[in-house]
């Protein structure tokens, strides 16, 4: 953690630092192409930067070289991104939108999904080159091995644009096509090829871990060693995420550092050549075993570069290693610039390399602590350094700022390193002697329990994290960066100035948290329709009492349960008095289990009707696990909310899951909100015959704005003034144009979560 080392190396290694300038400039061009600029702008912008570079060549001295390296590098990144898309993405998308006869080769083992299974394949159509794709099929895919072939007719769609929504989750991993259904035949293919050895070893390790460990211990270790998190319980995953250390389960540079430490332990720290010779193949093999995620590839390239430097009589140069790693990753796939793991990985290493050392010097200035206090301070400095560069990314992607993160890292990272080393040793030893492997496995088992217990308590601390569901928190984060930027740019870098900036940041955070809670709960009745994509989640609050109607989404990129809990936390909710469910469709209940894992719920109110979706048993099991009373409602019932509001539960007389659910009428004074779930036109008519509904102010459009819901009969009867359509990306055509037309002609002001995000109504 010595910044002086970087300065001295700059003078000694001009050639390497020129490489760093060029690599960073190329990477900047790729990032601009993938994250900022439209595709039609890439070549004109590349030409403009190239022209600036040619003009800069007329300058003299070091300025000329830097201008040329920067401008030409950016131009190269822009042009390369355009060329890669033209050579790979465009040809791939010519296969999209139709049934195709294809041959596919399995690249890994399949993963189970809610409706079947999915597997990553190399797909080749008739008269076309091959492309990486993800194939969604039935559960028979779970029997496949890497190298098996699949032949048949499937429907091919783009992985970069799903139902008019741009998606980067697949293309950032080099996947440009999605294939669905069809009739396919499996063949043996090349399963015996050495190419599949890493995948086979990963599978063997997962099976051996399950044999040696059980429950969350097995799921935790499997995630750390192979990246497979499917074995971890919802509660454990939530606790790790809320404590801010879920990153230890995502195979990344941290794990490569653990692995390198193991190699160095056996070879000896001072045997550089032997360490390099042993570490390089081990790191490369581990990168392939872990799926070559950008964060792992970054760590491997940097470690290999730093290992090789002394062997070639070069000083180790972190900026050059980092720039080279980033450029190589983007050369392989420019779309990886949109990878969340890549962005977080590089933000973390930048924070450790550049922000942590001055923070460490600041914290230890004028003090002569022993070894343990300095180790503690180093951990704190590293956590703060990483946070300084990764906080904006965490805000954008995860909508959270972890206040407990430095403490979590201090208490858990040392144990994570031991778990990785002893866990890997136990698994490998068990292949030779299972009893010895089980004996060695006692160490990681105890440490895993320590981390899970600790994170459970850390995640229960009040204000362990704050969430960007608070509308003011983004302004607080900008203020923090502004305050410290003023301190750095003003030249007043005294301890007093930095403490003042920190104190102002803390005071502003307290005010922001208070203001956010007041914003959402200032009325006698507050109604908030959360944006959960294609699903529904409505929060009601009156006074200090909170209730929720439904909590689910069918869009896999929305975590309805955790989003709902984050929103409740920002609102200042300490206990959810009621959780009402209209029915059991997945897009209305998928987040309930995650919500129950984090939030104390007074009563779960459910219909007595049928469960077509097969979710009722799962919900009842979760309610029993977390000690939540369940009330099945078959007759009209009243629930008081905070004294100023009342929720009437109206069971529908219809048949089936959708039409046999519950309808909710929430009233406060002269204001009424009606939520009909997924009732269709016929069930709405029966509802009007059974109950005397008042004129209402707000209607939550039935079935996400489907054509056969929110009928004219219902609109004429209840005369809503405003309507909320909770909807997201879907293949059903929701909201239907005819439904929107009926609402508009009836004088209803329409608010849509897919267009306007979270919708908040404050009554009185």
């Amino acid at each position: 953690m010595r910044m002086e080392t970087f300065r001295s190396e700059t003078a000694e290694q001009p050639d390497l630092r020129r490489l760093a300038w060029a690599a960073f400039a190329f990477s900047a061009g790729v990032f601009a192409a993938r994250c900022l600029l439209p595709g039609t702008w890439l070549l004109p912008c590349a030409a403009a930067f190239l022209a600036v570079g040619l003009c800069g060549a007329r300058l003299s001295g070091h300025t000329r070289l830097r201008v040329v390296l920067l401008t030409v590098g950016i131009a190269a990144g822009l042009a390369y991104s355009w060329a890669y898309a033209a050579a790979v993405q465009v040809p791939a998308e010519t296969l999209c939108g139709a049934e195709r006869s294809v041959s596919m080769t399995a690249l890994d083992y399949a993963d189970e999904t809610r409706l079947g299974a999915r597997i990553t394949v190399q797909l080749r159509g008739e008269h076309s080159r091959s492309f990486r794709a993800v194939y969604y099929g039935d559960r028979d895919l779970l029997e496949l091995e890497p190298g098996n072939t699949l032949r048949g007719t499937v429907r091919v769609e783009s992985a970069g644009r799903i139902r008019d929504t741009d998606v980067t989750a697949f293309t950032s991993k080099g996947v440009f096509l999605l294939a669905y259904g069809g009739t396919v035949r499996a063949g043996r293919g090349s399963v015996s090829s050495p190419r599949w050895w890493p995948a086979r070893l990963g599978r063997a390790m997962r099976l051996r871990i399950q044999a040696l460990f059980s429950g969350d211990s097995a799921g935790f270790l499997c995630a750390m060693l192979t990246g497979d998190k499917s074995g971890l319980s919802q509660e454990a995953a939530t606790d790790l995420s809320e404590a801010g250390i879920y990153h230890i389960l995502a195979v990344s540079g941290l794990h490569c550092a653990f692995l390198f430490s193991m190699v160095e332990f056996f070879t000896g720290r001072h045997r550089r050549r032997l360490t390099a010779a042993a570490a390089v193949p081990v790191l490369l093999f581990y990168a392939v075993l872990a799926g070559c995620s950008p964060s792992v590839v970054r760590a491997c390239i940097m470690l290999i570069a730093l290992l090789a430097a002394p062997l070639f009589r070069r000083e180790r140069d972190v900026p050059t290693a980092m720039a080279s790693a980033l450029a190589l990753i983007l050369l392989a796939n420019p779309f990886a610039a949109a990878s969340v793991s890549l962005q977080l990985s590089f933000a973390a290493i930048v924070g450790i390399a550049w922000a942590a050392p001055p923070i460490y010097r600041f914290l230890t200035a004028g003090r002569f602590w022993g070894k343990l206090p300095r180790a503690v301070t180093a951990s704190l400095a590293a956590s703060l350094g990483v946070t300084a560069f990764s906080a904006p990314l965490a805000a954008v992607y995860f909508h959270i700022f972890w206040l407990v993160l430095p403490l979590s890292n201090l208490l858990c990272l040392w144990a994570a390193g031991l778990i990785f080393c002893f866990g890997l040793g136990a698994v490998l030893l068990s292949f030779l002697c299972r009893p010895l492997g089980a004996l060695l496995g006692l160490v990681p088992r105890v440490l895993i329990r320590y981390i899970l217990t600790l994170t459970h308590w850390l995640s229960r601390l009040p204000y362990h994290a704050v969430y960007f569901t608070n509308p003011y928190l983004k302004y607080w984060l900008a203020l923090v960066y502004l305050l410290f930027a003023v301190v750095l740019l003003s030249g007043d870098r005294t301890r007093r100035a930095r403490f003042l900036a920190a104190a102002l940041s803390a005071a502003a955070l307290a005010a922001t948290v208070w203001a956010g809670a007041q914003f959402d709960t200032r009325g006698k009745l507050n109604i908030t329709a959360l944006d959960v994509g294609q699903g529904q989640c409505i929060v009601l609050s009156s006074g200090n009492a909170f209730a929720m109607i439904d909590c689910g989404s069918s869009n896999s990129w929305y975590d309805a349960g955790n989003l709902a809990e984050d929103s409740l936390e920002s609102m200042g909710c300490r206990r959810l008095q009621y959780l009402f469910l209209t029915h059991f469709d997945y897009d209305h209940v998928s987040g309930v289990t995650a919500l129950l894992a984090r939030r104390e719920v007074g009563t779960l109110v459910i219909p007595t009707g049928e469960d077509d979706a097969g979710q009722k048993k799962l919900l009842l099991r979760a309610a029993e696990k977390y000690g939540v009373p369940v009330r099945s409602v078959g007759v009209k019932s009243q629930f008081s909310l905070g004294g100023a509001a009342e929720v009437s539960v109206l069971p529908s007389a219809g048949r089936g899951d959708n039409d046999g659910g519950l309808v909710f009428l929430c009233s406060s004074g002269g204001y009424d909100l009606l939520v009909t779930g997924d009732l269709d036109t016929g069930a709405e008519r029966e509802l009007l015959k059974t109950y005397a509904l008042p004129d209402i102010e707000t209607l939550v459009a039935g079935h996400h704005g489907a054509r056969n819901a929110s009928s004219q009969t219902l609109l004429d009867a209840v005369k809503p003034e405003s309507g909320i359509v909770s909807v997201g990306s879907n293949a059903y055509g929701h909201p239907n144009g005819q439904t929107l037309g009926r609402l508009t002609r009836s004088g209803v002001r329409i608010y849509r979560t897919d267009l306007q995000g979270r919708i908040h109504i404050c009554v009185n």
Side-chain angles (χ1 to χ4, degrees):
M1 297 174 67
R2 292 174 51 207
M3 295 300 289
E4 293 82 3
T5 302
F6 301 151
R7 296 192 187 100
S8 65
E9 288 164 0
T10 303
E12 295 176 7
Q13 302 182 78
D15 292 338
L16 284 180
R17 194 50 59 87
R18 289 169 189 162
L19 174 62
W21 277 81
F24 273 129
F26 173 82
S27 302
V30 174
F31 270 93
R34 298 272 61 89
C35 304
L36 298 176
L37 300 175
T40 55
W41 287 27
L42 298 187
L43 288 183
C45 288
F49 274 101
L50 185 60
V52 173
L54 293 176
C55 294
R58 297 176 176 273
L59 301 174
S60 59
H62 293 292
T63 303
R64 175 179 64 180
L65 180 60
R66 291 177 180 176
V67 169
V68 171
L69 287 176
L70 282 175
T71 54
V72 174
I74 292 173
L78 293 169
Y80 183 76
S81 295
W82 177 87
Y84 188 94
V88 178
Q89 186 182 37
V90 173
E93 295 196 344
T94 59
L95 299 175
C96 297
E99 300 278 342
R100 302 283 183 182
S101 178
V102 301
S103 63
M104 299 178 285
T105 301
L107 301 179
D108 204 341
Y109 292 94
D111 298 315
E112 188 172 3
T113 65
R114 183 169 62 91
L115 300 177
R118 68 177 183 181
I119 189 168
T120 303
V121 298
Q122 197 72 22
L123 181 148
R124 181 186 295 274
E126 292 181 335
H127 313 298
S128 75
R129 53 180 290 194
S130 64
F131 302 95
R132 179 166 290 205
V134 172
Y135 173 55
Y136 291 83
D138 57 30
R139 285 181 169 80
D140 290 341
L141 296 179
L142 298 173
E143 304 298 324
L144 296 179
E145 296 180 282
N148 280 146
T149 57
L150 294 166
R151 288 184 172 83
T153 302
V154 298
R155 181 167 183 82
V156 182
E157 299 290 349
S158 170
R161 190 166 181 81
I162 301 176
R163 293 194 291 269
D164 298 325
T165 301
D166 290 328
V167 177
T168 61
F170 293 105
T171 55
S172 63
K173 299 174 183 177
V175 173
F176 293 93
L177 295 174
L178 302 177
Y180 299 93
T183 302
V184 296
R185 302 182 308 278
R188 179 170 175 78
S190 58
V191 292
S192 58
S193 170
R195 176 186 177 185
W196 315 117
W197 287 357
R200 288 180 173 276
L201 176 59
R203 175 66 168 252
M205 288 179 63
R206 288 191 288 272
L207 294 176
R208 186 51 57 99
I209 290 170
Q210 293 168 6
L212 294 175
F213 302 86
S214 61
D216 282 332
S217 294
F220 189 102
L221 189 60
C222 195
M224 278 205 76
L225 297 182
T226 69
D228 180 5
K229 308 178 190 67
S230 60
L232 203 63
S233 70
Q234 177 74 60
E235 185 176 12
T238 298
D239 289 342
L240 290 165
S241 177
E242 286 299 300
I245 61 166
Y246 194 74
H247 62 89
I248 66 175
L249 300 185
V251 177
S252 63
L254 181 67
H255 301 72
C256 293
F258 293 154
L259 187 60
F260 174 73
S261 297
M262 290 182 67
V263 173
E264 193 176 50
F265 174 81
F266 288 107
T267 59
R269 178 171 297 182
H270 302 294
R271 297 177 179 177
R272 291 185 173 183
R273 293 183 182 273
L274 179 60
T275 300
V280 170
V282 170
L283 289 170
L284 291 175
F285 187 85
Y286 183 68
V288 176
L289 183 147
C292 289
S293 66
S295 56
V296 172
V297 174
R298 187 274 305 162
C300 288
I301 294 175
M302 287 190 65
L303 283 171
I304 291 171
L306 296 175
L307 282 171
L311 303 182
F312 293 95
R313 302 182 184 278
R314 294 278 187 173
E315 291 293 329
R316 292 173 173 172
D317 189 64
V318 173
T320 301
M322 187 188 311
S324 302
L326 182 57
L328 288 173
I329 292 171
L330 297 179
L331 272 171
N333 178 20
F335 288 85
S339 166
V340 178
S341 67
L342 179 139
Q343 294 174 19
L344 288 172
S345 177
F346 278 92
I349 197 64
V350 169
I352 292 173
W354 277 279
I359 294 174
Y360 178 80
R361 291 194 296 270
F362 169 75
L363 294 174
T364 57
R367 299 181 183 273
F368 299 92
W369 294 348
K371 184 176 181 180
L372 181 59
R374 287 188 177 272
V376 171
T377 306
S379 175
L380 178 60
S383 296
L384 293 176
V386 170
T387 300
F389 283 87
S390 62
L393 296 175
V396 171
Y397 295 120
F398 309 119
H399 316 294
I400 189 171
F401 184 87
W402 292 281
L403 298 175
V404 77
L405 179 62
L407 180 61
S408 298
N409 283 338
L410 176 64
L411 297 177
C412 295
L413 285 188
W414 66 270
L418 293 176
I419 290 170
F420 183 92
C421 296
F422 280 94
L424 180 60
V427 171
L428 296 179
L429 182 60
S430 69
F431 285 109
L432 301 176
C433 179
R434 183 166 175 172
L436 288 179
L439 182 63
L440 186 60
L442 292 175
V443 176
R445 184 179 286 110
V446 170
L447 292 175
I448 290 171
R449 180 49 48 195
Y450 160 77
I451 287 182
L452 292 179
T453 301
L454 183 64
T455 54
H456 177 77
W457 289 108
L458 289 174
S459 66
R460 297 305 187 271
L461 290 176
Y463 304 110
H464 62 277
V466 289
Y467 306 93
F468 286 85
T469 48
N470 180 333
Y472 305 119
L473 196 61
K474 55 181 176 289
Y475 303 114
W476 168 80
L477 187 62
L479 175 64
V480 172
Y481 282 98
L482 178 62
L483 287 172
F484 282 94
V486 169
V487 171
L488 293 175
L489 295 176
S490 66
D492 184 6
R493 303 186 184 183
T494 61
R495 296 175 64 84
R496 182 176 180 179
R498 295 179 183 183
F499 274 126
L500 179 60
L504 289 174
S505 298
L509 177 60
T512 299
V513 171
W514 177 85
Q518 294 300 309
F519 176 83
D520 286 315
T521 59
R522 64 188 185 275
K524 289 185 178 179
L525 172 64
N526 300 277
I527 304 163
T528 305
L530 302 181
D531 179 14
V532 292
Q534 180 68 9
Q536 182 166 283
C537 184
I538 299 169
V539 179
L540 308 174
S541 71
S542 179
N544 294 322
F546 290 81
M548 183 177 291
I549 300 175
D550 290 342
C551 182
S553 175
S554 63
N555 296 143
S556 60
W557 54 92
Y558 280 92
D559 186 345
N562 283 312
L563 177 61
E565 168 58 18
D566 294 350
S567 299
L568 291 173
E569 193 74 25
S570 295
M571 294 175 186
C573 174
R574 292 292 169 260
R575 180 176 184 268
L576 187 64
Q577 189 169 349
Y578 304 112
L579 175 56
F580 300 110
L581 300 182
T582 57
H583 60 299
F584 299 108
D585 272 5
Y586 185 82
D587 59 339
H588 288 252
V589 303
S590 64
V592 170
T593 301
L595 179 65
L596 296 183
R598 292 180 57 186
R599 171 62 48 182
E600 180 185 354
V601 176
T603 306
L604 175 63
V605 180
I606 63 175
T608 58
E610 301 175 28
D611 175 20
D612 298 340
Q615 296 292 313
K616 187 174 182 178
K617 289 183 179 179
L618 298 177
L619 297 179
L620 293 177
R621 193 179 306 145
E624 181 181 7
K625 178 180 179 180
Y626 298 111
V628 179
V630 178
R631 180 174 172 180
S632 298
V633 177
V635 296
K636 180 179 178 180
S637 305
Q638 308 287 337
F639 294 83
S640 177
L641 185 65
E646 184 178 70
V647 179
S648 300
V649 182
L650 314 175
S652 171
R655 288 179 168 273
D657 189 11
N658 285 358
D659 294 339
L662 299 178
V663 174
F664 298 95
L665 178 67
C666 183
S667 304
S668 178
Y671 191 95
D672 297 287
L673 165 77
L674 183 65
V675 182
T676 61
D678 283 355
L679 296 191
D680 66 11
T681 301
E684 289 174 351
R685 286 196 296 268
E686 291 298 319
L687 179 72
L688 295 172
K689 292 178 182 178
T690 308
Y691 305 102
L693 297 179
D695 289 353
I696 65 172
E697 279 62 45
T698 301
L699 170 70
V700 176
H703 209 164
H704 319 287
R707 181 178 59 84
N708 62 343
S710 303
S711 63
Q712 192 64 53
T713 303
L714 178 67
L715 297 177
D716 291 340
V718 298
K719 299 178 175 60
E721 298 174 8
S722 60
I724 297 173
V725 184
S726 183
V727 68
S729 177
N730 66 89
Y732 310 110
H734 299 162
N736 183 267
Q738 294 182 28
T739 302
L740 296 177
R742 284 197 299 271
L743 291 168
T744 301
R745 287 191 299 272
S746 299
V748 178
R749 295 188 302 273
I750 301 173
Y751 302 94
R752 294 171 50 173
T753 57
D754 61 332
L755 299 181
Q756 292 146 315
R758 189 179 78 153
I759 297 166
H760 177 72
I761 299 174
C762 178
V763 180
N764 297 326

